[in-house]
Amino acid sequence: MVYLVTGPDLARRWDHEPGQDVEVFCFANTDEVVLTCGDETFPLAFDDTAGWWRATVPYREEPLTLVGRTQEVSVLDALGSRGKAASIDARVWNVPAGVVVAGDVIQIEVTLRDADGNVAADDRLVTAEVSGGDLLGLDNGDLGDPTPYPQPSRCTHDGRVIVYVRGGPSTVVTLSAPGVADVRLDHSEWR
C-alpha cells in the first residue's frame, strides 16, 4: 500500500502555485518507495517518530507519483491537478465474497468528480433524500466536522462522503449538491 498527501493539512491535493515548495508525506508498507514529479525523482527521508516518508517538492503541473515495490510487486498512488465539482459519482459498497452481514444497511460511497473524472478540488454540501427506507447517517471522515451523524446533509471532505441507509426493495436514494446534477439510486443497484 502507498498513499500520498501534501501539507500542511495532509490533503490529497496537488494544485499549488508554480514553483511553490510543497511538503509531501508518503505512507507505505513496501520495501522501496520512489517519489517522482514528471521525469524528476525526489529523495525521501523516513520520519521514525511519525512513521511516514517525507520530501519537499517544487510544484509543477505534472502528476506527483509514488511507487512502492516489494520483490516483483509494485503499487502506485498519484496526485494531479483537479478541477471544480462537475458531477456526483455514487457507488453502493459491495460486501466481499464470503463475508456475512447481518441486516439491511446499505453503504453508498459518494465522490464529487471534476469534468475530467478526477476527485474534485472543492467540497460541497451533499444532501441525501431517502424514500422507502431510513437514512441512518452521513460521514465524511473529517474528525473536525461537528455535524450530527443523522443529519441529511454533510459537506464532503476531500470530495467524498459516505451515506448509510437501511432499505429494502422499494428504497430510493437521491443525492444532491449545489451546481451538479442529482443522482438517483434504487434497490436494483444495491447488489
Side-chain angles (χ1 to χ4, degrees):
M1 183 273 315
V2 293
Y3 190 74
L4 276 170
V5 293
T6 59
D9 55 353
L10 302 181
R12 289 194 46 85
R13 293 224 151 83
W14 190 241
D15 51 1
H16 307 276
E17 293 297 318
Q20 175 186 349
D21 283 342
V22 179
E23 197 166 20
V24 177
F25 301 92
C26 308
F27 300 87
N29 63 357
T30 56
D31 293 338
E32 178 187 353
V33 288
V34 177
L35 179 67
T36 60
C37 184
D39 58 359
E40 188 174 351
T41 301
F42 293 89
L44 288 160
F46 189 74
D47 183 328
D48 287 316
T49 304
W52 56 39
W53 294 90
R54 180 184 223 157
T56 300
V57 178
Y59 175 76
R60 59 181 165 189
E61 288 190 27
E62 295 185 70
L64 182 68
T65 303
L66 180 67
V67 175
R69 292 185 188 91
T70 300
Q71 296 175 9
E72 293 100 37
V73 177
S74 293
V75 290
L76 176 136
D77 190 21
L79 297 177
S81 296
R82 305 183 312 179
K84 298 238 181 251
S87 65
I88 297 174
D89 179 18
R91 299 168 191 254
V92 175
W93 180 76
N94 291 311
V95 178
V99 175
V100 177
V101 177
D104 50 2
V105 175
I106 301 151
Q107 175 179 313
I108 303 169
E109 298 172 347
V110 179
T111 305
L112 296 177
R113 301 271 179 200
D114 68 13
D116 294 324
N118 301 311
V119 176
D122 57 332
D123 287 312
R124 300 195 184 178
L125 188 70
V126 172
T127 300
E129 181 182 318
V130 178
S131 63
D134 298 310
L135 176 64
L136 301 176
L138 284 79
D139 190 16
N140 61 11
D142 181 359
L143 297 177
D145 182 348
T147 306
Y149 188 71
Q151 290 295 311
S153 298
R154 184 177 286 253
C155 191
T156 57
H157 178 62
D158 194 28
R160 297 177 175 92
V161 69
I162 303 289
V163 178
Y164 297 96
V165 174
R166 177 169 289 118
S170 63
T171 304
V172 175
V173 178
T174 304
L175 302 163
S176 60
V180 296
D182 293 358
V183 170
R184 183 180 180 272
L185 299 168
D186 63 35
H187 186 267
S188 66
E189 298 168 84
W190 291 174
R191 310 236 185 271

